[in-house]
Amino acid sequence: ALTMAWRLVKALSEEQQRYEKQLIFEHPAFGKLCQQLLRDARRATRGDLVFSLHALVSLGVPQNTLLVQTLVRVCQEKLNQLDNRCISVLATTLAGMDKDKNVSALQAGLQLLVEQRISSIRDIFILQNLMKCLGKDAPVFLKKKLEMAVVRGIDGLTFPNALRMFLALAAMNYCSLPILNPCSKKIQEHVHDLPFRQLILILEACHTLQYRNVKLFSTLADYVNSTAYLWDKRQIILFLSTCETLGFQPTELLDVFAEKVTEDPDFLNLKNLLIVLRVYSRLNHVPRVQKHPFFETLHNCLNKCLPQISSTELLKAVYSLGILGYLPHHALDELLQKDSKGELTLSDDLKEQNTMMLHCVKTCMELDSPSFTKPAFVLTENLSSLVSLNLRKAQGALMELLGDESMFRQNVQLPYRYHIDFEIRMDSDRKKVLPIAAADDHPDSRVQRLAFLFAPVSAFCLGTTHPQGKLAMKKRHLNKLGYHVILIQNKMFQEMKNEDAVEFLKRKIYSEDALSFPEATMQDNN
């Protein structure tokens, strides 16, 4: 009877569920049914026992009631009598319960039972439930056993099971490529069957598992982009925010959403505005068309929020726009007034972050100002002749290519707290590398200065060489200081053979493309 009640309620909407549950709890027969179950708990069949506990927990009967605690203890006593289906239902039930003494004891017993029986379990659905119940605290050897059991039946994987398996692995915090890759492929094949909430859960699971599948992310983003007219703008914001957390840049969707914002900005309250600013700045995305109207729209929305915005939120908003090379003058004035009153660095837990953001904003105010001109001479300082371990290969390749250390500088500190890994000087025709000392002794504005930045993969958008916000801002500012910036993904460079690394740097140094000044920012609005 309890299971039937839950099945009927489960099919209803959330609001209807609340109403129906209340009716069930208030019905006189419900109290009698619970009393009878309490009396007969130890005589109940294993199926009745487990399914009754599942129904009571699902209906929202408080966990600390005598009935629920009694059923948990009886399940513990009869654990060895449960078949695989009952184990699966019990695992699902425990996954939704809070930890207490009896629940923890039952989970520990269930884990031991799973260890004994895992080789006999073939049902993928049951394995998923066990994975969710055992969770991230399960020992690694048991996670591996579950993985092997799933992989045995992976060929018959259905779309619903692929979806559930993603979430089960996330619950266990276990990144299994032999499972995730086939699941990912199945999800891509059925992407049009996914409701919006499932799209978000998949991306969140990938973030938990640190599973970076660009093809999967692109398929999901293309689907949302092609059906953007179906979604509420707040849903698209949530999707973009989840992509930003993964460092993934869904270029077309970002462009489409920018148009939507420009056409109808009224939905942008302060919370949504801050998310949009964070997403576009971190992913360093400037819309390909209508970029001026888009940033002007964000600027106007920010101005409307100024009366209600907190100091830290204002700093984050101006910082995000600054990263993109846009200076919101009115908001900047407000920010500088708050800074002069010491309102931006008062909180200890935010002090370091706020100080960093404020420094970046002030740097943008100076270097991105239309009145800033390239200096004839930049004061630099060599921090140390030693380079970090992850730059030794680059140092060796430059020495082999250029002859000796006098032809380049390493660990160079610049104004505005900027640092470059290596610097070389070239003649005006970009044909010849000049000794550093000679270039310093006889300054010449025609001398070309090259700055090498070896950045981690995390500084680029996923699967691309497109720099994320802070790195793009640094590159832009080094350009302003007169440097030609060569960005290199250090992981890719480290994987090269030594001779390939030398050839790679040679192409970068002598290539005209490498020495251009790309400006994908909003500086020209100022």
Side-chain angles (χ1 to χ4, degrees), residues 280-497:
Y280 280 80
S281 64
R282 187 192 165 193
L283 298 178
N284 179 32
H285 188 86
V286 176
R288 281 176 288 194
V289 294
Q290 287 197 318
K291 59 182 179 182
H292 290 282
F294 175 61
F295 283 94
E296 286 297 330
T297 300
L298 295 180
H299 188 184
N300 292 335
C301 289
L302 178 58
N303 286 341
K304 288 178 186 175
C305 294
L306 288 179
Q308 71 203 69
I309 199 168
S310 72
S311 299
T312 299
E313 288 169 337
L314 177 59
L315 177 57
K316 286 179 179 177
V318 175
Y319 168 73
S320 294
L321 286 167
I323 279 181
L324 291 161
Y326 187 98
L327 299 177
H329 296 296
H330 186 35
L332 261 174
D333 292 340
E334 287 274 329
L335 184 69
L336 295 176
Q337 285 179 27
K338 289 179 181 290
D339 181 40
S340 65
K341 296 175 186 175
E343 295 177 16
L344 299 176
T345 55
L346 294 178
S347 173
D348 283 343
D349 55 332
L350 295 173
K351 187 171 184 178
E352 187 176 340
Q353 183 187 15
N354 284 5
T355 302
M356 179 276 295
M357 287 193 290
L358 188 59
H359 168 75
C360 286
V361 168
K362 290 180 177 178
T363 301
C364 289
M365 286 175 63
E366 190 168 340
L367 294 182
D368 292 330
S369 166
S371 60
F372 182 83
T373 54
K374 184 176 82 171
F377 176 76
V378 178
L379 185 64
T380 62
E381 178 187 350
N382 277 30
L383 291 177
S384 167
S385 59
L386 297 174
V387 296
S388 58
L389 282 174
N390 65 342
L391 293 175
R392 296 274 172 85
K393 184 170 186 171
Q395 182 189 40
L398 283 171
M399 286 181 68
E400 185 173 337
L401 179 62
L402 303 177
D404 60 59
E405 287 188 352
S406 68
M407 305 300 288
F408 63 92
R409 299 172 71 194
Q410 53 206 23
N411 274 341
V412 183
Q413 185 69 42
L414 303 179
Y416 307 99
R417 300 183 195 168
Y418 282 130
H419 166 269
I420 55 180
D421 297 317
F422 299 97
E423 176 188 353
I424 68 172
R425 313 278 177 86
M426 300 186 77
D427 66 347
S428 56
D429 296 327
R430 301 197 288 268
K431 302 292 186 188
K432 180 182 176 185
V433 176
L434 306 174
I436 293 293
D440 282 343
D441 291 342
H442 304 284
D444 185 341
S445 60
R446 293 171 299 174
V447 168
Q448 306 285 344
R449 286 179 288 174
L450 275 65
F452 288 83
L453 300 181
F454 287 81
V457 173
S458 59
F460 299 85
C461 290
L462 189 66
T464 72
T465 54
H466 180 72
Q468 291 189 10
K470 286 179 73 174
L471 181 59
M473 177 181 67
K474 179 176 180 178
K475 182 182 180 185
R476 181 177 79 241
H477 287 167
L478 292 181
N479 286 161
K480 290 294 189 79
L481 292 172
Y483 283 91
H484 302 279
V485 180
I486 297 176
L487 280 183
I488 298 171
Q489 281 191 2
N490 201 25
K491 183 175 184 292
M492 172 208 65
F493 186 79
Q494 296 296 333
E495 291 168 352
M496 291 179 183
K497 294 178 181 176

Side-chain angles (χ1 to χ4, degrees), residues 2 33-41 52 56 67 71:
L2 285 170
L33 186 62
C34 290
Q35 288 173 2
Q36 183 183 345
L37 183 57
L38 185 61
R39 285 195 305 271
D40 298 341
S52 296
L56 287 169
L67 176 59
L71 292 180

Side-chain angles (χ1 to χ4, degrees), residues 164-180:
R164 283 194 289 263
M165 185 57 70
F166 241 83
L167 306 183
L169 285 168
M172 238 185 11
N173 199 9
Y174 186 68
C175 185
S176 165
L177 296 182
I179 298 175
L180 285 170

